[in-house]
Amino acid sequence: MAVLHIVLMILKFIGILLLILLGIFLLTVLGVLFCPVRYSAQGYKDENKYGGKAKVSWLCHLVSFSVWYDSSQGEAGYGVRIFGIPLLKVLEELSKRKEKKKKKAKAAKVQAAEREGREIPEQDKASEEKTSKESSEAKEALEEKGSRKEQRGEDFRQTEGKAQRLLGKVKAIFQIPGKIFEAFRKFQLTAKGICDKIRKIKNFLESEKFKRGMCLILQEGKKMLAHVKSRKIEGRIKFGTEDPCLTGEILGAAGIFYPLYGENFSIEPCFDQTVLEGTISLKGRMYGIVLLISAVKILRSRDIRYIIRHFN
């Protein structure tokens, strides 16, 4: 009975652990799908300097990633924070501690080796020098004999190589007509294959399945872009060129995108000087469930699967 009780306790502990892990996994999935990923960016530009910062956060800034650059200081950087703790600094401190431990262990080994080390007696040194001298003389004699044999073999190989090169040139001359005919035949086959591929690609692009699949991709892509685009844009920009006509054309092109940046963003043209300066800040968010629904719609479509099979 005692053994059975212990086994049941172990199984109970394993079951509780598995339930905890399953709960953590489900919470993570729900967080990714229903907790928004927020992003923000700021930038500036004036006569002498420019810079900016971008940040992506999740779970109410419990997890965040940021990058920045400042031309006045000439430096760029990035950082990762989890629960407000700078992860990169923690990893750097841990690596420094490991290096210190390695250095201490290496110094201890060196000190132990110095304490236990002994010098080689003079008699042993003389015998070692004598043995190494005799072995070097024997090696020199063997190398001299080998070099003579190699010289004779090299002369024979050179003569044989000249004869083979001459024979190869004669064969190449007789093979020229056959090579020309083979190249012409391959060109015909290649041209025919290219024409067949062009015909197949044209039929594929004109098929109804391809058109429906591309319409679905464009439709869902617009939805995802509308969902991901920034909800708030603020700032101002002052620009100008020496050509008033070009400045007016740029201002007209910027007016096309007015629905994107709205009234909180001002554009000031200068028609009498070349200038570019201003500030901008934007914020937005995205939900994983929205992107997942669009992705599932695209992947479940038979037309999309037909396009994927064609390219594979």
Side-chain angles (χ1 to χ4, degrees):
M1 293 296 292
V3 175
L4 181 61
H5 180 70
I6 293 171
V7 171
L8 291 175
M9 289 294 293
I10 294 172
L11 292 175
K12 181 180 177 181
F13 176 76
I14 293 173
I16 293 171
L17 182 62
L18 290 175
L19 287 175
I20 292 172
L21 293 176
L22 181 61
I24 293 172
F25 175 74
L26 290 176
L27 286 175
T28 303
V29 171
L30 292 174
V32 171
L33 293 178
F34 297 102
C35 186
V37 176
R38 303 184 183 275
Y39 65 89
S40 62
Q42 300 87 32
Y44 72 93
K45 168 73 170 65
D46 56 23
E47 295 180 357
N48 300 321
K49 57 184 180 178
Y50 58 91
K53 181 180 180 181
K55 183 179 180 181
V56 179
S57 61
W58 181 56
L59 283 177
C60 300
H61 301 279
L62 292 179
V63 180
S64 64
F65 173 77
S66 58
V67 294
W68 62 86
Y69 178 76
D70 191 353
S71 64
S72 61
Q73 299 178 357
E75 61 179 14
Y78 65 95
V80 180
R81 287 181 176 268
I82 299 176
F83 297 101
I85 301 172
L87 183 61
L88 298 179
K89 289 184 179 180
V90 172
L91 295 176
E92 186 178 354
E93 289 295 328
L94 291 175
S95 64
K96 286 181 180 179
R97 290 183 181 180
K98 287 182 179 179
E99 289 294 330
K100 288 181 180 179
K101 289 181 179 179
K102 288 181 180 179
K103 288 180 181 179
K104 288 181 180 179
K106 189 181 291 185
K109 287 181 180 179
V110 171
Q111 291 176 359
E114 289 177 353
R115 287 195 300 267
E116 296 177 359
R118 296 178 181 177
E119 295 184 357
I120 301 172
E122 294 295 332
Q123 185 178 359
D124 295 339
K125 289 182 179 178
S127 61
E128 287 179 2
E129 291 177 357
K130 183 178 179 181
T131 305
S132 62
K133 185 176 180 181
E134 290 176 354
S135 61
S136 63
E137 289 177 356
K139 285 182 181 178
E140 289 177 358
L142 291 172
E143 288 177 357
E144 186 175 356
K145 290 180 181 179
S147 62
R148 291 175 184 174
K149 291 181 180 179
E150 288 178 359
Q151 185 65 32
R152 288 195 295 270
E154 186 67 27
D155 295 338
F156 176 75
R157 283 193 295 270
Q158 288 180 358
T159 305
E160 186 180 4
K162 289 179 180 179
Q164 288 179 354
R165 285 195 295 271
L166 181 61
L167 184 61
K169 290 179 180 179
V170 174
K171 287 182 179 179
I173 292 171
F174 284 105
Q175 289 175 356
I176 289 174
K179 289 182 179 179
I180 294 172
F181 177 76
E182 184 67 18
F184 182 72
R185 188 179 66 82
K186 287 182 179 179
F187 175 76
Q188 286 183 330
L189 294 175
T190 304
K192 184 179 179 182
I194 291 172
C195 293
D196 292 339
K197 286 183 180 180
I198 292 172
R199 193 179 302 108
K200 289 180 181 179
I201 292 172
K202 183 180 178 181
N203 294 333
F204 170 71
L205 295 177
E206 292 177 352
S207 64
E208 291 297 326
K209 291 184 177 181
F210 177 79
K211 292 179 181 179
R212 289 196 301 265
M214 292 305 298
C215 287
L216 179 62
I217 290 174
L218 292 175
Q219 181 181 356
E220 295 300 325
K222 288 180 181 179
K223 288 182 181 179
M224 286 191 283
L225 288 176
H227 174 71
V228 171
K229 75 175 184 179
S230 58
R231 303 291 173 179
K232 185 177 181 181
I233 300 178
E234 296 179 347
R236 65 172 187 85
I237 184 171
K238 182 180 179 181
F239 78 97
T241 63
E242 295 179 354
D243 186 1
C245 182
L246 179 60
T247 303
E249 291 177 356
I250 295 173
L251 183 62
I256 298 174
F257 300 97
Y258 179 79
L260 295 177
Y261 55 82
E263 59 183 8
N264 293 322
F265 192 86
S266 63
I267 299 176
E268 180 184 351
C270 292
F271 295 95
D272 57 350
Q273 60 178 336
T274 301
V275 62
L276 178 62
E277 59 185 27
T279 60
I280 184 174
S281 65
L282 55 90
K283 294 180 180 179
R285 53 95 181 109
M286 62 187 80
Y287 285 89
I289 186 65
V290 176
L291 303 180
L292 180 63
I293 291 172
S294 296
V296 170
K297 285 182 180 179
I298 292 173
L299 295 176
R300 285 187 61 188
S301 173
R302 294 180 179 179
D303 300 324
I304 300 298
R305 292 201 295 269
Y306 167 76
I307 294 172
I308 292 172
R309 285 197 304 269
H310 180 82
F311 282 107
N312 289 337

